[in-house]
Amino acid sequence: MQEPAFPENEDSRLETLRSLHVLDTPAEERFDRLTRLAKQLFHVPIAVVSLVDANRQWFKSCFGVDATETGRDISFCGHAILGEGIFLIPNATEDPRFSDNPLVTGPPHIHFYAGCPLSAADGSKLGTLCIIDTVARQLADDELTALKDLASMAEQELMAVQLATLDELTNISNRRGFISLAEKSLTLCHRQQINASLIFLDLNKFKQINDNFGHAEGDRALIAFATLLKQSFRESDIFARIGGDEFVVLLTGANNNLAKHVIKKFQLLLQAYSKASKLEYQLTFSYGLVSVDFESDYSIDSLLSQADSLMYENK
């Protein structure tokens, strides 16, 4: 087995990594969404956002294995951060650098590995976004491009950790965070020829809730609405609170019919919550739905404007 070497800038790389204060922090939706999307797009059992610390690789997001970290000396990602492009191992069992690696000979039985380095603003390689399979395989050129796009999104999220991209009240993305994620997701959907739909939602009679029951109850209503959004929509969807009582959802891999089905499910969930919580008001919403047409203007601003107009017509 070949242990990964250390980059020439190892000391400054570790300083940059630790300055983000992201190591050993709880899971975050912004990263989990990317690994879920990677699993879905590449049909792999394991997808990871890995950060390479001094003696370990630590997983900021990981789907498919229970571990939160492994030793750097046996890590694939330790090798991946030494280069600029995607580090690709089609069949680890036939690669002399990895064939006797305990991650190959034992759980999770890595055969295929593809990891794209995540760079900081100063060029330091902090870790990777990687996909792993238990069988040997290759990636086509368009798949390699898609992996790079996802890694670029992970890089942006790492650099934005200290910026305000989350709504403090509901703990989902705010407008800024949504636009950053949605633009990349739409580009990826366009390239992969995947359907996408955008839903603009407005919480009905929110001013009356504030006026009649107080702002604290209004805050509870917004938190409940956001929480139920998470429960109702699919894990790979991107949702955000973009205004006081305005929310938006981008559904990837969803046509108009599927989007309407998910909206109906959300309506039923809201009704059930209102009844179970014995609220003195009903949580309801108006919405505008736009199916993304990649042959025309599919910018986020344009889609939001279209969906907002449809929402007001429905309202």
Side-chain angles (χ1 to χ4, degrees):
M1 185 192 79
Q2 179 181 321
E3 294 186 10
F6 290 91
E8 293 182 359
N9 66 335
E10 178 66 358
D11 290 341
S12 63
R13 188 192 72 82
L14 289 174
E15 183 178 351
T16 299
L17 173 61
R18 290 167 182 171
S19 71
L20 297 177
H21 302 290
V22 71
L23 290 169
D24 300 308
T25 57
E28 292 182 67
E29 179 64 18
R30 66 175 82 188
F31 295 103
D32 288 348
R33 186 181 297 112
L34 295 177
T35 48
R36 288 196 302 264
L37 187 57
K39 278 191 66 178
Q40 179 186 41
L41 285 175
F42 298 101
H43 306 289
V44 292
I46 301 170
V48 179
V49 171
S50 174
L51 300 174
V52 180
D53 201 0
N55 299 307
R56 59 173 180 158
Q57 61 170 356
W58 177 78
F59 306 146
K60 177 58 180 172
S61 177
C62 179
F63 280 86
V65 292
D66 295 329
T68 58
E69 62 181 63
T70 65
R72 181 175 178 175
D73 59 337
I74 61 172
S75 72
F76 284 60
C77 297
H79 291 270
I81 65 168
L82 300 175
E84 293 293 333
I86 292 175
F87 185 69
L88 182 64
I89 306 297
N91 189 350
T93 64
E94 297 179 355
D95 192 313
R97 296 170 295 177
F98 301 102
S99 58
D100 58 346
N101 187 301
L103 300 177
V104 176
T105 59
H109 299 286
I110 298 173
H111 280 209
F112 165 83
Y113 172 92
C116 190
L118 304 178
S119 298
D122 64 359
S124 299
K125 304 297 187 297
L126 306 181
T128 72
L129 187 146
C130 63
I131 54 175
I132 294 168
D133 208 338
T134 56
V135 297
R137 59 182 292 181
Q138 290 281 359
L139 290 182
D141 288 345
D142 60 340
E143 291 177 310
L144 292 171
T145 300
L147 183 59
K148 289 178 182 178
D149 285 342
L150 286 176
S152 175
M153 295 167 70
E155 282 181 351
Q156 287 188 352
E157 289 304 322
L158 279 173
M159 295 303 103
V161 164
Q162 296 174 317
L163 300 176
T165 58
L166 288 181
D167 178 60
E168 292 184 2
L169 178 65
T170 62
N171 204 33
I172 63 175
S173 293
N174 59 17
R175 186 184 187 95
R176 180 179 181 179
F178 174 79
I179 289 175
S180 176
L181 284 171
E183 285 179 342
K184 290 290 186 180
S185 293
L186 284 176
T187 299
L188 187 60
C189 288
H190 187 199
R191 183 176 291 122
Q192 297 291 312
Q193 297 183 331
I194 297 172
N195 291 325
S197 299
L198 185 137
I199 308 168
F200 195 107
L201 306 103
D202 184 84
L203 183 58
N204 290 334
K205 300 181 179 178
F206 179 63
K207 184 177 185 302
Q208 293 181 21
I209 295 174
N210 277 329
D211 291 345
N212 296 334
F213 304 102
H215 289 279
E217 184 61 33
D219 286 349
R220 281 191 285 270
L222 292 171
I223 293 170
F225 195 85
T227 300
L228 294 170
L229 272 178
K230 296 179 187 178
Q231 295 177 13
S232 185
F233 287 85
R234 302 165 311 156
E235 292 182 333
S236 58
D237 297 329
I238 301 171
F239 39 85
R241 179 189 177 205
I242 62 171
D245 56 357
E246 296 175 336
F247 295 78
V248 64
V249 183
L250 178 66
L251 296 89
T252 55
N255 58 22
N256 190 276
N257 289 334
L258 178 57
K260 288 182 177 179
H261 172 76
V262 178
I263 291 170
K264 182 63 177 178
K265 175 185 174 183
F266 182 48
Q267 289 173 326
L268 294 175
L269 194 62
L270 279 178
Q271 292 173 10
Y273 171 82
S274 297
K275 184 177 180 180
S277 302
K278 298 180 180 179
L279 298 179
E280 297 182 61
Y281 54 88
Q282 286 289 319
L283 279 178
T284 62
F285 63 91
S286 301
Y287 74 91
L289 169 62
V290 175
S291 294
V292 181
D293 181 2
F294 290 109
E295 299 301 320
S296 62
D297 180 11
Y298 63 92
S299 67
I300 291 298
D301 287 341
S302 174
L303 293 171
L304 287 174
S305 178
Q306 294 176 54
D308 186 23
S309 297
L310 289 173
M311 182 276 294
Y312 273 104
E313 288 180 17
N314 293 333
K315 197 177 184 74

